Amino acid sequence: MGQIFIGLGVLLGLIFGFIDGFQFIAALSWFVPGIISGILFIAFGMMYELLEENNAFLRELLNRTNVETSNSPPAKSKSLGKSKSSLSSLSGYKMSSHE
């Protein structure tokens, strides 16, 4: 699509530029939008291809890993014990100047 837009922009610019002699503004008004829209279509197409390629790689990596499915029971998490620490062992501690 991008190559078609670029080609049509140049072709229509030449056609409408040579209607009454060569009119640079008329030709330029077809050249610029045709080239810009063609470049945008090419860029979006390249980004879409890269996105599809990344999606395929990620799906392959997901299939290679040992991922638990939603049907299996969730794994039990390891108990962390008491989450609050006691600061009583630090009472009366004084830092010396060399520490």
Side-chain angles (χ1 to χ4, degrees):
M1 286 296 291
Q3 293 172 350
I4 291 171
F5 282 149
I6 292 172
L8 283 176
V10 170
L11 181 67
L12 291 173
L14 290 174
I15 290 171
F16 286 112
F18 281 115
I19 287 179
D20 293 329
F22 186 71
Q23 298 174 351
F24 183 71
I25 299 297
L28 193 63
S29 68
W30 284 94
F31 287 156
V32 173
I35 292 173
I36 289 175
S37 61
I39 289 172
L40 286 176
F41 264 88
I42 292 170
F44 285 137
M46 292 174 77
M47 286 189 292
Y48 183 73
E49 287 177 3
L50 288 173
L51 183 66
E52 288 293 323
E53 186 176 334
N54 284 341
N55 187 15
F57 286 142
L58 288 175
R59 288 188 187 277
E60 179 65 28
L61 287 174
L62 183 65
N63 289 334
R64 289 183 185 182
T65 59
N66 295 329
V67 177
E68 295 179 10
T69 61
S70 60
N71 296 336
S72 65
K76 292 183 179 180
S77 62
K78 189 176 182 180
S79 176
L80 298 176
K82 294 182 179 180
S83 63
K84 294 183 179 179
S85 62
S86 173
L87 298 178
S88 62
S89 63
L90 295 177
S91 65
Y93 180 79
K94 294 182 181 179
M95 293 181 67
S96 62
S97 62
H98 67 282
E99 288 182 19

